[in-house]
Amino acid sequence: MVVEAPAECCSLAATPIGAADAECLAKRLKALSDPTRLRVLSHVAAQGCEAVCACDLIEVLDISQPTVSHHLKKLVEAGLLTREQRGRWAHYTVVREAFTELHQFLDLR
Amino acid sequence: MVVEAPAECCSLAATPIGAADAECLAKRLKALSDPTRLRVLSHVAAQGCEAVCACDLIEVLDISQPTVSHHLKKLVEAGLLTREQRGRWAHYTVVREAFTELHQFLDLR
DNA sequence: ATCTTACATTGACGACCATCGATGTGACGG
DNA sequence: CCGTCACATCGATGGTCGTCAATGTAAGAT
């Protein structure tokens, strides 16, 4: 599942958004609306340009491995993270453009 | 239900956020993660400083009145809108500070 | 006082979601 | 080839959510 960008990189303050754009933005925001996912994302983002492997997250967040895997998948599907396989490890990096779009949308004028 | 501000107005890119801040931010973002609610919010925001009454939203969005009322309540509870009663009408306005906080949080450096 | 209008609340229903244990998979080491 | 490690997937469970019809409520109009 891939989330396409809204028709125009709209702002909340501009003319009311259409149903299609709302649907697409809601998917991105839904991926952000879980506390565990925010913490996962925060750990990856705090690493800057360095990719983070999943095993680190299991230790730090103290939740089960399937749950971490589940959340990482959701974040990748929402286009907020990218996944890169290196041997047996999976490394994750933040997609900056996705946040730029959200950032613009949340900007009231 | 009121959403308190996170301990420090943190950014995703700073040091990993704690569980409490994540919980609080997730509540705000959850209120934004529904397409109907985004459209409601967008209609109010597009009105600028003018307050918007609920009856307008029912017409424009073509959803039932209880559903509009439900979403408006969620948005107020999340601190994203304020409600003001004027006679029989309820008027809603955007809380700009709430969006400023989210805006800062989504800013990667 | 009665009726209407604008909106909130309730209750119910179906859909979705976060979590975890169990299990599968593919890469690497010996 | 076999065991281990890192991770994905599956299935089940308990909880949450969006939606609407029905009903309640409070303010203004007649």
Side-chain angles (χ1 to χ4, degrees):
Chain A
M1 185 236 297
V2 175
V3 181
E4 333 86 62
E8 15 187 301
C9 225
C10 48
S11 158
L12 252 183
T15 55
I17 61 178
D21 282 359
E23 199 87 35
C24 145
L25 279 161
K27 278 182 189 163
R28 279 254 168 85
L29 289 163
K30 186 163 290 179
L32 284 172
S33 71
D34 177 84
T36 306
R37 227 132 56 205
L38 282 180
R39 297 184 66 200
V40 167
L41 206 49
S42 171
H43 270 88
V44 177
Q47 214 61 25
C49 298
E50 290 292 314
V52 174
C53 92
C55 54
D56 296 337
L57 299 169
I58 300 173
E59 286 182 20
V60 177
L61 297 179
D62 193 40
I63 50 183
S64 77
Q65 177 267 322
T67 303
V68 171
S69 194
H70 166 73
H71 286 307
L72 285 169
K73 186 178 184 183
K74 290 266 182 180
L75 289 168
V76 169
E77 283 174 349
L80 299 172
L81 288 183
T82 52
R83 195 188 112 105
E84 182 199 356
Q85 189 85 30
R86 298 188 200 163
R88 329 185 234 192
W89 291 274
H91 289 244
Y92 293 88
T93 322
V94 166
V95 177
R96 305 186 79 88
E97 305 81 47
F99 287 90
T100 313
E101 288 178 16
L102 286 174
H103 198 253
Q104 289 181 6
F105 176 70
L106 268 322
D107 189 14
L108 297 184
R109 194 161 347 279
Chain B
M1 185 236 296
V2 174
V3 181
E4 334 86 63
E8 14 187 302
C9 224
C10 47
S11 157
L12 252 182
T15 56
I17 60 178
D21 282 0
E23 198 89 34
C24 146
L25 278 160
K27 279 182 189 163
R28 278 253 168 85
L29 289 163
K30 186 163 291 177
L32 284 172
S33 71
D34 177 81
T36 306
R37 226 133 55 204
L38 280 180
R39 297 184 65 202
V40 166
L41 206 49
S42 171
H43 270 89
V44 177
Q47 213 61 26
C49 297
E50 288 293 314
V52 174
C53 91
C55 54
D56 297 338
L57 299 170
I58 301 174
E59 287 180 19
V60 177
L61 298 180
D62 193 41
I63 50 182
S64 77
Q65 177 267 320
T67 303
V68 171
S69 193
H70 167 73
H71 286 307
L72 285 169
K73 186 178 183 182
K74 290 264 183 181
L75 289 169
V76 170
E77 284 174 349
L80 299 172
L81 289 183
T82 51
R83 193 187 114 104
E84 182 198 355
Q85 189 86 29
R86 299 188 199 164
R88 333 185 232 193
W89 290 275
H91 289 244
Y92 293 87
T93 322
V94 166
V95 177
R96 304 185 79 89
E97 304 82 47
F99 287 90
T100 313
E101 287 178 15
L102 285 174
H103 199 253
Q104 289 182 6
F105 176 69
L106 269 321
D107 190 15
L108 296 185
R109 197 160 348 277

